[in-house]
Each structure stands twice: as structure tokens, then as C-alpha cells.
């Protein structure tokens, strides 16, 4: 009888462990895909009218791809782990530092939801923006709801840039809106949470890294260069 009881208890424990494992796997899968999504990047004036062309954004974990008319002829790749932003031109099979090819690389980057200023300041520095200098401040204002999604709101300022308000989606852990002092906004709309293909965020094999600074230095060393 005791052997039967032990067997029953053991079977119950095994069943409970299996149930917990299934639940944990489901939760892990949900968390793993939570940072994979696509969205439109839309700018609007203070009256809410769309201004400029709509850009497209894709996110897979800490990788970001932006397709925008601001950087025509290619697409932008942001690596949140490496802290880099590159402009890829498929027709020329080249890629290069994005620099100031688009202001979007300074806004829509993976950030720390508690202390996002470090990532935003680094993105501005990569772009060579003057606002990257000095100390940035991110003051958490309040939690908010945007299009039915939970978001954290910050007031962001730098020594040479007027303060803006920015929202970070709590689940996606990614910036979703910027409100400028003049009332214009740049925000993610039509967010679609779904798995993204890895090759969308990779520089194709055989593409060359083009460094304009190296080219300028070679020209300076040539007979064609004339000192100003």
C-alpha cells in the first residue's frame, strides 16, 4: 500500500513539474518575442497632421532596422549591444557609419527603461550631434497609456538641446514617441508584435565598409590635394 502511495505521489510531482515547465516555456517564448515587432514611424505637427514621409521600423531583440526616405537608396541598421548605427546601400554593396543621415537613429534605439539617457546620449554621439556633449538628464514623469499599451514617460534634456518628452513602451522596452517643444511628435504607429527574420538585420556577405574619412586622408596624401 505504501509503495502504491509513493508511486501516486511521485506521479503527481512529475505531473506538476511538467506543468510548471510548460508554463515557464510559454512565458519564456512570450518574453523572447516581446521585443520583436514592426511599426510605422510617423511625424505629426502640433495639430496632428502628418508631416513628411512615413518610415518603417523593424526590431529584433537589440537590433533595429529603419527604412526611411531620409536615407534613400538603402536602410539603417542599429546594433543596441554594440552601440553602432550603420547605413547600408545594397546597390553599391557598401555600408558605412550612419552619422547624421537620419535623426531617427538618435531616437529609436534600444534603451534602459529605468535610465534611458545613456543610450540616447550615445546615439547622439555616434551621429556627431552637438547635443551629445555635456550631461543628459532623464526625469521620469509618470506612467501612461498609448494606443492601449503601457508606457513610461520621461522629460529628456541636454545642455544644448531643449527638453523633449519621450515615451518608452513597458512591454517592448523600446521608445515609441517623442514630443518636441514646438508640439510636433515622432511616434510609432500600427505596432505589430511578431517574430522578425534574422537576415533582415544582417549586412549581406561581401558588402564593403566604406569610410569617407579614410578616403579623405588618401586624397590629402595625393598630388591632387591643395592645402587651403
Amino acid at each position: 500500500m505504501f509503495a502504491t502511495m509513493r508511486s501516486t505521489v511521485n506521479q503527481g510531482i512529475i505531473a506538476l513539474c511538467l506543468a510548471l515547465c510548460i508554463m515557464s516555456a510559454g512565458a519564456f517564448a512570450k518574453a523572447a518575442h516581446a521585443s520583436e515587432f514592426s511599426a510605422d514611424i510617423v511625424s505629426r505637427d502640433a495639430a496632428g497632421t502628418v508631416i513628411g514621409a512615413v518610415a518603417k521600423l523593424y526590431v529584433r531583440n537589440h537590433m533595429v532596422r529603419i527604412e526611411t526616405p531620409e536615407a534613400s537608396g538603402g536602410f539603417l541598421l542599429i546594433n543596441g549591444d554594440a552601440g553602432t548605427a550603420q547605413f547600408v546601400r545594397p546597390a553599391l554593396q557598401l555600408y558605412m557609419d550612419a552619422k547624421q543621415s537620419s535623426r531617427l537613429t538618435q531616437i529609436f534605439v534600444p534603451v534602459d527603461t529605468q535610465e534611458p539617457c545613456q543610450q540616447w546620449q550615445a546615439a547622439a554621439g555616434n551621429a556627431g550631434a552637438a547635443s551629445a556633449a555635456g550631461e543628459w538628464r532623464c526625469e521620469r514623469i509618470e506612467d501612461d497609456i498609448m494606443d492601449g499599451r503601457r508606457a513610461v514617460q520621461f522629460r529628456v534634456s541636454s545642455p544644448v538641446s531643449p527638453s523633449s518628452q519621450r515615451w518608452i513602451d513597458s512591454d517592448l522596452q523600446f521608445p515609441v514617441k517623442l514630443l518636441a517643444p514646438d508640439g510636433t511628435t515622432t511616434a510609432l504607429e500600427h505596432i505589430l508584435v511578431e517574430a522578425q527574420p534574422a537576415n533582415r538585420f544582417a549586412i549581406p556577405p561581401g558588402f564593403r565598409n566604406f569610410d569617407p574619412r579614410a578616403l579623405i586622408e588618401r586624397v590629402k596624401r595625393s598630388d591632387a590635394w591643395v592645402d587651403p
Side-chain angles (χ1 to χ4, degrees):
M1 181 179 68
F2 289 109
T4 302
M5 290 178 63
R6 284 197 298 270
S7 176
T8 302
V9 170
N10 289 339
Q11 290 176 2
I13 293 173
I14 292 172
L16 177 60
C17 289
L18 288 173
L20 290 173
C21 288
I22 292 172
M23 290 173 63
S24 298
F28 176 79
K30 182 178 180 181
H33 290 293
S35 57
E36 298 188 35
F37 65 96
S38 63
D40 294 332
I41 304 176
V42 183
S43 295
R44 298 180 182 273
D45 62 20
T49 303
V50 175
I51 51 178
V54 175
K56 192 69 180 180
L57 174 137
Y58 305 92
V59 176
R60 184 177 190 267
N61 299 325
H62 291 166
M63 295 293 296
V64 182
R65 173 171 171 153
I66 298 176
E67 299 171 1
T68 170
E70 292 180 354
S72 60
F75 56 90
L76 299 157
L77 282 183
I78 300 168
N79 186 326
D81 291 332
T84 59
Q86 296 170 317
F87 177 46
V88 184
R89 300 197 66 178
L92 300 178
Q93 296 190 338
L94 295 174
Y95 65 94
M96 63 194 78
D97 288 342
K99 293 302 179 183
Q100 296 190 45
S101 55
S102 172
R103 64 188 179 88
L104 300 178
T105 62
Q106 301 178 47
I107 304 171
F108 296 108
V109 297
V111 296
D112 182 339
T113 55
Q114 301 300 317
E115 297 289 343
C117 262
Q118 181 178 353
Q119 288 82 22
W120 277 322
Q121 184 172 6
N126 287 339
S131 60
E135 182 183 1
W136 281 46
R137 295 185 180 276
C138 283
E139 176 191 356
R140 183 165 178 168
I141 303 174
E142 60 183 4
D143 292 351
D144 202 353
I145 299 294
M146 295 188 59
D147 296 328
R149 303 184 61 88
R150 295 182 300 114
V152 182
Q153 184 181 359
F154 286 89
R155 182 176 292 109
V156 182
S157 61
S158 71
V160 296
S161 179
S163 66
S164 62
Q165 290 175 238
R166 306 190 188 195
W167 286 256
I168 302 173
D169 188 290
S170 301
D171 294 326
L172 300 178
Q173 298 186 8
F174 196 84
V176 290
K177 182 179 179 181
L178 179 145
L179 172 63
D182 62 359
T184 59
T185 60
T186 304
L188 301 188
E189 299 184 8
H190 310 119
I191 296 175
L192 180 60
V193 179
E194 61 180 2
Q196 301 292 318
N199 60 3
R200 178 170 283 164
F201 306 89
I203 296 175
F207 278 38
R208 294 178 294 112
N209 183 6
F210 175 69
D211 186 353
R213 294 168 299 182
L215 177 60
I216 292 172
E217 288 302 317
R218 287 200 299 269
V219 172
K220 284 183 177 181
R221 291 193 296 268
S222 71
D223 294 336
W225 179 260
V226 177
D227 288 329

